[in-house]
Amino acid sequence: MASENINGKKYFNLKIITPRQLEFDQLVYRLQAKSEVGWRGFLANSGPTFMRLEPGEIVYGDQTGDEHRQYVKGGILEVQDGNITILTKSIEPDN
């Protein structure tokens, strides 16, 4: 699935995977993540990307319109077919 329109917004699938399991698999309408060269923003239908993530916060918007923050312990982010997969050592809510 490349993107899906819900309530006038385009969504894409975000998966976050740790060595233990699939931690997150949900439709989101935007994502911000910090790479080695700075912050990057992603929307539905973003072009193919492969980048290294710095340890820190990721921010995403969900189907309710709420913004969520999670802490990732570095990793790799890949955009393929308009969807995003993050491989990381661990993820936890950012309090």
Side-chain angles (χ1 to χ4, degrees), residues 77-93:
L77 180 147
E78 179 183 26
V79 180
Q80 186 174 25
D81 298 326
N83 296 301
I84 297 180
T85 301
I86 294 175
L87 304 175
T88 183
K89 293 178 185 175
S90 69
I91 182 169
E92 56 191 65

Side-chain angles (χ1 to χ4, degrees), residues 3-41:
S3 69
E4 185 173 327
N5 276 320
I6 302 172
N7 296 328
K9 288 184 181 176
K10 284 191 172 189
Y11 289 81
F12 59 91
N13 188 253
L14 171 62
K15 290 184 181 181
I16 302 173
I17 303 168
T18 66
R20 292 185 177 259
Q21 65 188 9
L22 174 63
E23 299 281 347
F24 185 89
D25 187 1
Q26 193 173 356
L27 289 175
V28 301
Y29 68 90
R30 69 179 191 88
L31 171 72
Q32 290 177 289
K34 189 174 183 184
S35 74
E36 295 175 306
V37 295
W39 284 93
R40 292 277 315 265

